[in-house]
Amino acid sequence: MANTSGGTGLQLRSTVKKDGILELSLTTIATPEPKPEEVIVRIDASPINPSDQGLLFAGADVSTAKASGRTDNPVVTASISPAVMKAMAGRLEQSLPVGNEGAGVVVQAGASPAAQALMGKTVAILGGAMYAQFRCIKASQCLVLPRGTTPAEGASCFVNPLTALGMIETMRAEGHSALVHTAAASNLGQMLNKICIKDGIGLLNIVRKREHVDVLKAIGAKHIVNSSGSTFIDDLTEALVATGATLAFDAIGGGRLASQILSCMEAAANRTAREYSRYGSTTHKQVYIYGGLDGGPTELVRNFGMAWGLGGWLLVPFLQKIGPEAAQKLRERVASEIKTTFASHYNKEVSLAESLRLEEIAIYGKKATGQKYLINPNKGLAH
Amino acid sequence: MANTSGGTGLQLRSTVKKDGILELSLTTIATPEPKPEEVIVRIDASPINPSDQGLLFAGADVSTAKASGRTDNPVVTASISPAVMKAMAGRLEQSLPVGNEGAGVVVQAGASPAAQALMGKTVAILGGAMYAQFRCIKASQCLVLPRGTTPAEGASCFVNPLTALGMIETMRAEGHSALVHTAAASNLGQMLNKICIKDGIGLLNIVRKREHVDVLKAIGAKHIVNSSGSTFIDDLTEALVATGATLAFDAIGGGRLASQILSCMEAAANRTAREYSRYGSTTHKQVYIYGGLDGGPTELVRNFGMAWGLGGWLLVPFLQKIGPEAAQKLRERVASEIKTTFASHYNKEVSLAESLRLEEIAIYGKKATGQKYLINPNKGLAH
């Protein structure tokens, strides 16, 4: 195992310039000497999640991207619209590291027994700055992967698995008995189906394409509705009656989908109403927006009574809310089922330099279902 | 005190016909013999609240209203659009009584001591069917008004006062320290200002007209923002910084106001942010829609991070949530301050028959601030 003391490593950086230009580049940083409670992880695998792309691209128009620099040290620039720039005031001229989660091997450890015990272990970690050859992190933040698990297999231990489990925990905590998920053929959506099938939870999948219906059928999903179909509203209402779902997690955000879900939930609730109430059913209907695949405005046609809620949902505040013990239980479940329930699939593995090629950005930048990339920051680099 | 046994009284009714016609009329009903725990209240005053008009007009286009029948027994009809008719399926061809709250004198009482104790008392009551000469109700539902209070003074003891108090209780229960209110020059809004001034609570008033700023200034309101002004967004942000309000109650519902409030709350929260987060501030921002002065779609431009919620808010579920003891405390406060904090103002007092005159409907149907009507169901009728 190489000792990285005094060594350096590449790290991907994203900078928003004052003049409305996004700049992506690689920088060489010194690998720090770990403190007693810390370890150095050589990152061998880190996914490009939709949640990473917000920080990475800063809302820039990726179609304007231009490449410069050397092949092994590329620089990408792209334009950011004035409207988006307003929201970027907090990060102007800051060279920010990117990458929420990853996995790799502990190559150096601080003096504490907890850190030393991790030497040579393959671990999964969460916490930003993962698009880098090396990451210094507290030993307590490392999730040791079961023997025989590769970094690529363990790279997505946190964001998708804990989000899927968090949706189910939220459903239970808020008194719902089944749930709706949109953009449901995604890696996250497939994972959610596996959990719900295993745990016997009603899940209503909303997809936007015919072929995604087939993807979900193939893994055993029971309730699938296609929002591009002409019978969508009727199909959704019937599936809501069948599942009894009164909670939805929406990855799309913009447009009328959240409104349609609330409206169909209300119609489903009124199937069993005994008397007319001008305030609608007393059944509380909730939609949480956790993504923004459609960045446009959310439009609510308020024909769903008064017992409803819409809100943002994020993993980190959820984990803070349930507390460290409950969160650790969820993490342990993920580790123990990482090759089955929580297995992720990637379209392509790229190096840091390859991740900045325009032809790759054009593909993964679409955040399309089935087009997920894995960065291997040490691919092709000696260590 | 007249004994109403075997007597009858007029009651206002609203019916949605299958063919998309709303019909308003008066009907004569027998006054029931009160059960031991019940009393008969002669209703002398009942307000026409915006919350009554939903049931009364059933979303009909009031500009199409036609009058027929005799002056003392009028019938009003109006057209309901096919889109609105969809939401009326639950009340088709049902002759429904109207009027959420009112006040009057107990003219007959059941045999129980609790009922007998109310004979001759002036009481306020809540529970529907108040646009009627007489209302049979449980003695336990009667709020005895302080000596010297007229029915007109006590007619609006519940909907507005408890809604205003409910907003403040919700603010406390959900951990906010100040609140925002829209359509803030309304009877309810003025009441909310009086409570907040008395109790030392920060209140940010949003009004839509210049003259409403003056109305609120006159009663001592501290923070007033005019949404029709060119500096609205800046004014709102500054007032949010000043009050620290992270909760809003919105009577308007449609359009972009809720979105603007969330956006300005986020800007106010970010004034004190120490580092950039692409998910926005961690401050939870909440808007509750409790009315629908604008029935159009609610449009959310999601530039306010992920820590936000939007939802419906209604008085009755709120009272159920806090439980009967806490609700009773709120009612007692209203009764004790009915001539001061919770005083209501009416533009005009009308009889049941007068309330169905087209020229009156044209005025109160606008639900405009300062155009509130009080029905006196016994006006001009012998009893």
Side-chain angles (χ1 to χ4, degrees), chain B residues 48-65:
Chain B
I48 305 180
N49 288 318
S51 54
D52 295 307
Q53 295 197 29
L55 183 59
L56 182 66
F57 292 129
D61 180 353
V62 178
S63 71
T64 67

Side-chain angles (χ1 to χ4, degrees), chain B residues 167-168 171 176-184 189 192-193 196 201-207 223-225 232 236-237 239-241 243-251 257-258 260-262 264-265 285-290:
Chain B
M167 290 173 178
I168 291 167
M171 176 197 85
H176 304 273
S177 60
L179 72 167
V180 177
H181 187 227
T182 74
L192 191 59
N193 272 284
C196 287
I201 294 164
L203 174 63
L204 196 172
N205 297 277
I206 300 177
V207 297
H223 304 279
I224 314 166
V225 173
F232 173 55
L236 178 56
T237 305
L240 286 163
V241 170
T243 56
T246 46
L247 171 67
F249 285 90
D250 175 34
L257 184 58
Q260 288 166 333
I261 293 169
L262 289 168
C264 293
M265 283 178 176
K285 301 159 291 289
Q286 180 72 39
V287 175
Y288 286 115
I289 294 175
Y290 76 94

Side-chain angles (χ1 to χ4, degrees), chain B residues 194-369:
Chain B
K194 287 187 215 163
I195 303 168
C196 287
I197 290 166
K198 191 168 182 183
D199 296 2
I201 294 164
L203 174 63
L204 196 172
N205 297 277
I206 300 177
V207 297
R208 291 169 292 177
K209 290 180 180 172
R210 175 66 227 171
E211 57 264 38
H212 294 161
V213 174
D214 302 329
V215 167
L216 290 177
K217 271 191 183 159
I219 63 166
K222 288 190 192 92
H223 304 279
I224 314 166
V225 173
N226 183 355
S227 63
S228 63
S230 59
T231 56
F232 173 55
I233 296 297
D234 288 342
D235 296 348
L236 178 56
T237 305
E238 292 308 321
L240 286 163
V241 170
T243 56
T246 46
L247 171 67
F249 285 90
D250 175 34
I252 312 231
R256 287 200 172 186
L257 184 58
S259 186
Q260 288 166 333
I261 293 169
L262 289 168
S263 176
C264 293
M265 283 178 176
E266 177 71 1
N270 282 332
R271 287 273 179 98
T272 53
R274 282 163 306 172
E275 69 179 287
Y276 173 75
S277 161
R278 68 161 292 256
Y279 294 118
S281 78
T282 55
T283 304
H284 185 78
K285 301 159 291 289
Q286 180 72 39
V287 175
Y288 286 115
I289 294 175
Y290 76 94
L293 295 178
D294 177 347
T298 310
E299 195 174 276
L300 299 175
V301 179
R302 302 188 317 286
N303 60 358
F304 35 72
M306 292 296 278
W308 62 277
L310 177 71
W313 192 93
L314 269 186
L315 177 59
V316 173
F318 161 76
L319 292 175
Q320 287 166 345
K321 197 169 163 187
I322 64 170
E325 275 184 45
Q328 186 55 27
K329 274 193 189 166
L330 299 183
R331 282 189 200 98
E332 284 165 9
R333 175 170 180 185
V334 175
S336 70
E337 299 174 37
I338 192 65
K339 291 197 183 191
T340 54
T341 317
F342 301 105
S344 288
H345 304 283
Y346 306 96
N347 185 254
K348 195 165 187 177
E349 182 183 292
V350 291
S351 69
L352 286 171
E354 288 164 350
S355 77
L356 295 185
R357 286 188 187 160
L358 297 187
E359 60 270 30
E360 305 296 0
I361 289 174
I363 298 170
Y364 71 74
K366 281 182 191 149
K367 305 178 201 169
T369 294

Side-chain angles (χ1 to χ4, degrees), chain A residues 160-212:
Chain A
N160 279 348
L162 293 180
T163 298
L165 290 173
M167 289 173 179
I168 291 167
E169 293 300 312
T170 300
M171 176 197 85
R172 291 192 177 120
E174 299 186 2
H176 304 273
S177 60
L179 72 168
V180 178
H181 186 227
T182 74
S186 64
N187 251 314
L188 172 62
Q190 294 186 41
M191 212 172 265
L192 190 59
N193 272 285
K194 288 187 215 164
I195 303 169
C196 288
I197 290 166
K198 191 167 182 183
D199 296 2
I201 295 164
L203 173 64
L204 197 172
N205 297 277
I206 300 178
V207 297
R208 292 170 291 177
K209 290 180 180 172
R210 176 65 226 172
E211 57 265 38
H212 294 160

Side-chain angles (χ1 to χ4, degrees), chain A residues 14 20 26 58 75 79 165 233 244 265 309 315 363 371 375:
Chain A
S14 170
L26 302 182
V75 175
S79 303
L165 290 173
I233 296 298
M265 283 178 176
L315 177 59
I363 298 171
Q371 294 290 1
I375 294 181

Side-chain angles (χ1 to χ4, degrees), chain A residues 84-238:
Chain A
V84 173
M85 277 300 284
K86 280 188 191 171
M88 296 299 146
R91 60 170 289 188
L92 285 188
E93 302 292 340
Q94 295 172 47
S95 174
L96 299 174
V98 190
N100 285 316
E101 65 183 336
V105 175
V106 174
V107 292
Q108 196 184 349
S112 72
Q116 286 294 322
L118 293 177
M119 267 305 292
K121 294 266 167 62
T122 298
V123 298
I125 53 181
L126 173 75
M130 297 298 169
Y131 297 165
Q133 282 185 269
F134 300 98
R135 174 72 155 85
C136 181
I137 196 163
K138 283 191 180 162
S140 61
Q141 287 184 260
C142 294
L143 181 66
V144 177
L145 293 168
R147 193 176 295 269
T149 309
T150 65
E153 287 169 334
S156 296
C157 260
F158 298 97
V159 178
N160 279 348
L162 293 180
T163 298
L165 290 173
M167 289 173 179
I168 291 167
E169 293 300 312
T170 300
M171 176 197 85
R172 291 192 177 120
E174 299 186 2
H176 304 273
S177 60
L179 72 168
V180 178
H181 186 227
T182 74
S186 64
N187 251 314
L188 172 62
Q190 294 186 41
M191 212 172 265
L192 190 59
N193 272 285
K194 288 187 215 164
I195 303 169
C196 288
I197 290 166
K198 191 167 182 183
D199 296 2
I201 295 164
L203 173 64
L204 197 172
N205 297 277
I206 300 178
V207 297
R208 292 170 291 177
K209 290 180 180 172
R210 176 65 226 172
E211 57 265 38
H212 294 160
V213 175
D214 301 329
V215 168
L216 289 177
K217 271 190 184 160
I219 62 165
K222 289 189 191 95
H223 304 279
I224 314 167
V225 172
N226 183 354
S227 63
S228 63
S230 60
T231 57
F232 173 56
I233 296 298
D234 288 342
D235 296 348
L236 178 57
T237 305
E238 292 307 321

Side-chain angles (χ1 to χ4, degrees), chain A residues 6-59:
Chain A
T8 61
L10 286 176
Q11 190 183 61
L12 193 151
R13 294 291 184 88
S14 170
T15 308
V16 173
K17 306 277 191 181
K18 271 183 291 196
D19 54 1
I21 299 295
L22 166 76
E23 186 183 280
L24 303 176
S25 62
L26 302 182
T27 185
T28 300
I29 57 164
T31 306
E33 185 66 24
K35 293 179 188 152
E37 301 295 336
E38 292 177 342
V39 298
I40 303 294
V41 179
R42 185 193 72 219
I43 308 288
D44 294 319
S46 176
I48 305 180
N49 288 318
S51 54
D52 294 307
Q53 295 197 29
L55 183 58
L56 183 65
F57 292 129

